[in-house]
Amino acid sequence: MKFFCSRDKLIKNLQIAQRAVDAKSQAAVLRNVLMDASGGKLNLVGYDHRMGIRTSIDCQIDTEGSITVPCALLIDILGVMQEEQVYFTLEDSSMKVECGRSKYNLSCISADDFPPFPKIEGKDTFEMEAGVLETGIRQTIFATNPDDHRAFMGGVLLNLEKNEIKFVSTDGHRLAMRKFDVPGGALPTQKVIIPTRTLNELLRILPDAGEEKVKVTVDVKSISFTLDGVFVTSRLVEAEYPKFEKVIPTRAEGQCRINRTRMIGSVRGASIMARSKENRDLIEINVTDDSIKFTSSTQDVGSASEELEVVKKGKDIRVAFNSKYILDFLGAVEEDEVVFDYTEELDPGLFHTDMPGYTYVLMPIKV
């Protein structure tokens, strides 16, 4: 095995494949990345039995072959090299890495010991705009809870219907849903739960995809995404998602409209006095005729009060929420104005904007 390639491109693609490498695995081969030089391409694969990533770059090959190398160590070595081209030569189980006057030798593990990369052969294959996938993940992923014993909370539900895509998440305290209409009705009917970890890694890759289409394939127990030369495959969360529609309020007895930027500042300010274990980041919201007040207090520490003007209709309300959950919503939207719909102090609050498609339901805290 002998080849050379661009150092910068190799570093970038190793960092992508590394996201599926289990750096803490007891099996040394799972801490490695598979390098396969063939057909004018250097294919890089990271796989930990739960998630796999395969990417490739152009390279000049003298002798084809494959081997696994310590991923993190190779990235560190490439990072200190100065020249653009880096040369690799495999001798027995040692990889010689040369760049200018820099020379390193890496102990490797046979490619035969690397776990077989899964093949996704599901009948349900469709395309999705990269921007739709990125927005759907970004506006829901923070409401998952991978540590909960209820498996369905450890991922985002991808609910596909003929002409509609829904991303749904919940951690038991809130529910986030992002809906997209798909003209033409070309989608399969599917409901799958994608693990939070997989979606976090996709978020890191998606900004580089631009306006590309993402090819999605769904199998019985797995899902794959192909975008911008990167192939990502993952096991699905094997659980049944609850009927989330029942949680979403269908009526409101009051509503207020608030400037998003000012609300972020006020919620952050009020939360300063709500950081104790007893307060659980709790802030109270008091909506009256033309204002909304955010307050908090901690015994032996102090209190805080922030007030904003609002456009209100309907009844007044006094209700308590977790301030971090409110800030998650405010950080997930971009519109200048947000809307808070409410009924009673112990009923779920509904946060949204005038841009259709995004719904955020937040359970109140009993004071």
Side-chain angles (χ1 to χ4, degrees), residues 286-314:
N286 190 7
V287 180
T288 55
D289 290 338
D290 59 356
S291 71
I292 183 169
K293 185 180 290 186
F294 306 92
T295 60
S296 65
S297 63
T298 299
Q299 189 174 1
D300 300 327
V301 176
S303 62
S305 176
E306 294 274 353
E307 189 170 356
L308 294 174
E309 291 184 356
V310 297
V311 177
K312 169 186 165 287
K313 62 181 181 181

Side-chain angles (χ1 to χ4, degrees), residues 151-176:
F152 70 87
M153 292 187 182
V156 172
L157 173 69
L158 181 63
N159 189 350
L160 304 174
E161 296 179 0
K162 190 174 182 180
N163 54 5
E164 185 179 79
I165 300 173
K166 288 179 183 174
F167 297 82
V168 184
S169 65
T170 183
D171 60 6
H173 304 288
R174 51 188 169 164
L175 181 141

Side-chain angles (χ1 to χ4, degrees), residues 100-333:
R101 295 186 178 184
S102 300
K103 296 181 180 180
Y104 293 80
N105 283 286
L106 281 174
S107 295
C108 304
I109 299 176
S110 171
D112 294 336
D113 295 333
F114 199 77
F117 197 72
K119 294 181 179 180
I120 308 298
E121 298 177 345
K123 63 179 181 179
D124 290 331
T125 298
F126 59 96
E127 288 189 336
M128 184 188 307
E129 292 181 6
V132 168
L133 182 58
E134 189 273 337
T135 301
I137 296 172
R138 180 175 53 81
Q139 292 189 331
T140 57
I141 192 170
F142 54 80
T144 64
N145 184 4
D147 297 326
D148 196 279
H149 70 278
R150 291 163 289 186
F152 70 87
M153 292 187 182
V156 172
L157 173 69
L158 181 63
N159 189 350
L160 304 174
E161 296 179 0
K162 190 174 182 180
N163 54 5
E164 185 179 79
I165 300 173
K166 288 179 183 174
F167 297 82
V168 184
S169 65
T170 183
D171 60 6
H173 304 288
R174 51 188 169 164
L175 181 141
M177 181 179 73
R178 184 62 162 97
K179 181 171 64 174
F180 297 92
D181 293 327
V182 181
L187 293 175
T189 300
Q190 274 279 10
K191 287 185 179 181
V192 296
I193 306 172
I194 308 171
T196 301
R197 178 198 170 202
T198 302
L199 296 175
N200 270 320
E201 301 308 336
L202 280 172
L203 275 182
R204 297 181 182 182
I205 299 169
L206 282 165
D208 293 332
E211 298 180 357
E212 284 196 24
K213 295 280 189 178
V214 180
K215 179 182 176 183
V216 184
T217 300
V218 181
D219 206 340
V220 177
K221 294 185 178 181
S222 56
I223 190 168
S224 70
F225 303 86
T226 305
L227 64 154
D228 195 28
V230 180
F231 179 83
V232 179
T233 182
S234 171
R235 288 184 182 179
L236 294 168
V237 176
E238 296 186 43
E240 184 175 349
Y241 214 83
K243 297 186 182 300
F244 61 88
E245 295 90 349
K246 295 181 179 180
V247 179
I248 302 172
T250 56
R251 67 182 183 90
E253 295 181 6
Q255 180 187 87
C256 60
R257 293 177 170 271
I258 317 154
N259 178 277
R260 184 178 69 91
T261 302
R262 292 183 179 275
M263 186 174 176
I264 290 173
S266 293
V267 173
R268 283 178 176 168
S271 68
I272 291 173
M273 291 297 182
R275 293 174 180 170
S276 66
K277 291 182 179 179
E278 296 79 12
N279 280 6
R280 301 165 293 168
D281 297 303
L282 179 151
I283 63 171
E284 287 194 24
I285 296 177
N286 190 7
V287 180
T288 55
D289 290 338
D290 59 356
S291 71
I292 183 169
K293 185 180 290 186
F294 306 92
T295 60
S296 65
S297 63
T298 299
Q299 189 174 1
D300 300 327
V301 176
S303 62
S305 176
E306 294 274 353
E307 189 170 356
L308 294 174
E309 291 184 356
V310 297
V311 177
K312 169 186 165 287
K313 62 181 181 181
K315 63 182 287 185
D316 296 347
I317 194 170
R318 186 171 185 175
V319 62
F321 291 115
N322 183 305
S323 60
K324 288 184 177 179
Y325 296 166
I326 297 175
L327 290 171
D328 282 340
F329 163 75
L330 295 172
V333 297

Side-chain angles (χ1 to χ4, degrees), residues 70-89:
C71 189
L73 187 58
L74 180 56
I75 290 173
D76 287 344
I77 290 170
L78 294 171
V80 299
M81 290 178 165
Q82 304 295 319
E83 304 297 328
E84 170 56 22
Q85 298 294 335
V86 58
Y87 296 79
F88 292 83
T89 305

Side-chain angles (χ1 to χ4, degrees), residues 2 4 21 47 51 66 94 96 115 124 158 185 187 203 213 227 240 319 336 364:
K2 187 176 182 180
F4 69 91
V21 172
Y47 182 52
M51 181 177 71
S66 59
S94 178
K96 183 188 295 184
D124 290 331
L158 181 63
L187 293 175
L203 275 182
K213 295 280 189 178
L227 64 154
E240 184 175 349
V319 62
D336 293 335

